[in-house]
Amino acid sequence: MTNSAHPQSAAPRVRFAPSPTGYLHVGGARTALFNWLFARRQHGTMILRIEDTDAERNKPELVEGILDGLRWLGVDWDEGPFYQSQRGALYQDAAQKCLAAGHAFLCYCPAERYVGGDAAEEGAAAGTVRRVVRCPCRDGLPAAAGKPSSPETKPAIRFKAPLGGKVEFQDAVFGAREVAGEEIEDFVLLRSPRGAETAGLPTYQLCVVVDDADMRITHVIRGADHLSNTPKQVLLYRALGAEPPIFAHLPLILGADRTRLSKRHGATDVNMYRTEGFLPEAFRNFLSLLGWSAGGDEEFLRTRDLIEKFSLEAVSRTNGVFDRPKLEWFNTQYLQKLPIEDLLPEVAAELKRSKLWREEWASGAGHEWFARTVDLLRPRIRLLPDFSTWSRAFFSDDFPCDPAAKEKFWKDQRFPRMFAQLADTLAALPEWSHDPCDHALRALAEAEGVKAGLLINATRVAIVGQAVAPPLFDTMVALGRERVVARLRKAATSFGAA
RNA sequence: GGCGCUAUGGUGCAAUGGUUAGCACGCGGCCCUUUCAAGGCUGAAAUACGGGUUCGACUCCCGUUAGCGCUACCA
């Protein structure tokens, strides 16, 4: 009984559904990115939904950080954000509907009767109950388990999982999936009320399905950690009279030791990468290649390329390691290869943060100078803040002189004299450009009987305060005659004297 | 424990059942050179193991091993 709203016939609708129990982590960001790439590629709709049903672990103040992370990543959304905490009636209705239709039952078991996870292992060893597969309450025997059913006992609502048969669904990444009905446990839909005033809160399984159905999500793209839970959700879709969407489970992102990525692997908060000064497009490129590839050998893929080439079918099924060195490589690639005008705003923002920015660089000749200087600097920059630290001497006269770099030259008393001499020569140059500076310095070096390279290195330290900088004469041109001459004169008097 | 997923160099990805198994990061060497980068060239480095199927297997099937996921009144 397919209707016109069948998942595959409509324009795709996808969603990213973080829960505000922490920051936006790398794995979530990758999930968000893939949803977004898919939506943009297919001209579909991207929806943002905040899954905040866990009243205890949920921290509303974290939502803004997650949204910031998404915005920085360049992931935008067409609908939402919706909050599950504000949609309670929908879940209550759905649970009642399941109950009325016989798809669910009231469970009077105390919550602590059944345990899972590690505790289950211990329980198994002790020969006690391991897990809920078939709850004794499902046949309408509230007290069947021998539990006290006092008038105060408030039931949970559990889904009545099938005793046999198969549950099938389609996964764009993992293929056609099939699970035996008896493998699925009687999972909770509505928690039993804790305390007299609290209504039973819905569980994740109920909320996702109700919302995904209500929001007409056609493709559920999420982490592979949800793969095993999907059959339960498929059952719920059917019970609610909805057609299940197509699923696409993404392989997990692991740390260097191949365990799940966590804080001890370093930064896992996307906003930390922003703070460190990665370019969002570089981060996006790197992230997109974790569990996906465009097919060929091309790796430098700008956002438009990613959108053009993205497909769920090309997503890998293998968990991948988050390789920070490669992320850094991507960043340097973007720093170098981006059209200069695309990079300038990021650099300007960095300089503003560091209070080094000057409005005259925003337009006209000042802007041209700014663009040329950034262009000169960028092959050596690794992270955005390097522009205001490592390259500080290019944007301010207030910069430190590296003592170690200075020490290499200050013992040689010829340098102060040569700096003074060079300053005079440069000041008198008819034209301020690379070659005249070059010739002037080499002529001086020859006259003084000093190797040109040595004088070049010393001069570099004199005018930018450090041994590492772009080629000297390009640096001179970028700094401008005024600054170079002034800094040389200052070095002439302060260099030898310590 | 049960159920499931996965397996190509250290890492991320390629390879219609037929390639000397390719690219990139990282690592080593060389070139360039005015410091440091960048760039160019280059080297080492992989199909987890065992059985099948096939003329031929990284590719298909089975088993083993390992890793991971799920197994919550978390999401």
Side-chain angles (χ1 to χ4, degrees):
Chain A
M1 214 168 299
T2 46
N3 56 35
S4 57
H6 189 80
Q8 295 177 80
S9 61
R13 290 172 61 82
V14 299
R15 48 48 165 202
F16 176 58
S19 68
T21 53
Y23 45 73
L24 177 64
H25 58 91
V26 169
R30 201 270 312 258
T31 299
L33 178 61
F34 281 25
N35 270 285
W36 183 81
L37 288 173
F38 180 74
R40 294 297 170 256
R41 173 73 185 89
Q42 305 290 329
H43 303 291
T45 303
M46 173 79 173
I47 295 161
L48 183 63
R49 186 173 75 218
I50 306 298
E51 309 219 319
D52 54 352
T53 54
D54 185 346
E56 283 158 28
R57 299 199 308 153
N58 182 37
K59 301 193 188 78
E61 67 274 16
L62 292 175
V63 171
E64 210 41 55
I66 290 171
L67 300 191
D68 283 345
L70 290 173
R71 291 188 194 106
W72 177 72
L73 249 191
V75 169
D76 56 6
W77 51 93
D78 308 305
E79 296 179 18
F82 300 107
Y83 291 80
Q84 289 189 326
S85 57
Q86 294 169 8
R87 298 164 58 84
L90 246 37
Y91 314 130
Q92 300 293 335
D93 289 351
Q96 293 306 326
K97 190 175 166 188
C98 286
L99 207 49
H103 291 301
F105 59 92
L106 298 176
C107 172
Y108 293 87
C109 299
E112 59 277 13
R113 181 169 192 281
Y114 299 104
V115 291
D118 296 337
E121 311 260 339
E122 293 161 25
T128 57
V129 177
R130 281 245 330 279
R131 61 168 184 159
V132 181
V133 177
R134 291 296 164 259
C135 178
C137 305
R138 68 181 268 147
D139 299 316
L141 303 169
K147 294 293 150 190
S149 61
S150 68
E152 288 80 43
T153 305
K154 298 289 194 344
I157 297 180
R158 278 186 193 274
F159 189 84
K160 194 182 285 184
L163 267 8
K166 294 183 185 311
V167 178
E168 300 173 303
F169 63 93
Q170 279 299 322
D171 192 293
V173 176
F174 287 86
R177 307 284 309 160
E178 179 180 294
V179 176
E182 58 265 32
E183 289 294 331
I184 302 167
E185 51 266 34
D186 293 339
F187 55 97
V188 171
L189 260 26
L190 238 45
R191 300 176 175 94
S192 57
R194 307 195 225 256
E197 76 294 332
T198 336
L201 290 169
T203 61
Y204 165 74
Q205 311 287 4
L206 211 216
C207 295
V208 253
V209 173
V210 169
D211 281 342
D212 285 341
D214 180 66
M215 296 174 186
R216 303 178 344 269
I217 301 300
T218 61
H219 300 255
V220 170
I221 304 169
R222 65 198 347 176
D225 47 345
H226 288 103
L227 190 56
S228 300
N229 282 325
T230 305
K232 294 175 191 163
Q233 295 165 21
V234 170
L235 249 18
L236 255 181
Y237 274 100
R238 298 253 146 79
L240 294 169
E243 186 68 17
I246 292 175
F247 294 89
H249 287 95
L250 275 20
L252 270 19
I253 298 177
L254 311 174
D257 58 0
R258 305 208 74 96
T259 63
R260 215 167 180 167
L261 200 60
S262 67
K263 312 97 243 153
R264 73 195 160 76
H265 293 110
T268 52
D269 177 355
V270 167
N271 284 317
M272 289 180 73
Y273 291 93
R274 173 176 60 180
T275 304
E276 278 193 72
F278 283 89
L279 292 168
E281 194 170 15
F283 192 78
R284 210 179 297 144
N285 193 162
F286 167 73
L287 217 48
S288 73
L289 262 19
L290 220 47
W292 175 78
S293 92
D297 288 336
E298 271 310 307
E299 286 200 306
F300 186 85
L301 299 167
R302 298 204 59 186
T303 304
R304 59 170 174 274
D305 305 319
L306 295 176
I307 292 173
E308 182 193 332
K309 294 172 187 295
F310 188 80
S311 82
L312 293 175
E313 288 66 34
V315 172
S316 159
R317 286 172 297 278
T318 317
N319 293 170
V321 171
F322 184 89
D323 187 32
R324 168 142 182 151
K326 186 138 189 182
L327 167 61
E328 292 176 355
W329 175 80
F330 267 111
N331 205 55
T332 58
Q333 288 296 301
Y334 272 82
L335 246 8
Q336 281 173 67
K337 292 186 178 172
L338 235 33
I340 191 71
E341 292 298 332
D342 287 357
L343 181 60
L344 262 19
E346 299 281 1
V347 180
E350 167 56 33
L351 294 179
K352 282 169 190 165
R353 275 193 289 277
S354 310
K355 308 273 188 281
L356 293 176
W357 175 254
R358 293 168 63 173
E359 272 313 311
E360 66 203 68
W361 299 334
S363 61
H367 180 76
E368 280 175 38
W369 173 83
F370 182 58
R372 275 200 314 275
T373 302
V374 169
D375 202 34
L376 174 66
L377 258 11
R378 63 173 171 165
R380 266 150 269 254
I381 299 291
R382 300 195 67 77
L383 295 165
L384 251 11
D386 292 340
F387 278 107
S388 45
T389 56
W390 183 82
S391 315
R392 191 179 176 89
F394 287 79
F395 302 106
S396 167
D397 289 317
D398 175 27
F399 61 92
C401 183
D402 175 19
K406 189 173 168 183
E407 191 182 7
K408 279 180 68 180
F409 302 102
W410 74 17
K411 290 205 179 93
D412 189 333
Q413 289 302 319
R414 292 174 298 174
F415 285 120
R417 192 182 68 246
M418 284 190 279
F419 290 157
Q421 178 97 51
L422 186 58
D424 291 343
T425 310
L426 294 177
L429 241 32
E431 184 198 340
W432 186 253
S433 60
H434 180 287
D435 288 355
C437 290
D438 191 332
H439 297 150
L441 184 140
R442 286 179 198 281
L444 176 63
E446 193 170 348
E448 295 284 337
V450 174
K451 291 185 75 175
L454 185 62
L455 182 55
I456 286 172
N457 290 340
T459 304
R460 179 180 294 110
V461 176
I463 65 174
V464 298
Q466 58 193 24
V468 175
L472 183 66
F473 306 114
D474 295 323
T475 296
M476 285 183 166
V477 172
L479 289 178
R481 191 198 304 251
E482 260 53 58
R483 272 176 163 165
V484 171
V485 170
R487 290 178 187 183
L488 277 173
R489 288 200 167 124
K490 187 178 173 204
T493 59
S494 67
F495 229 58

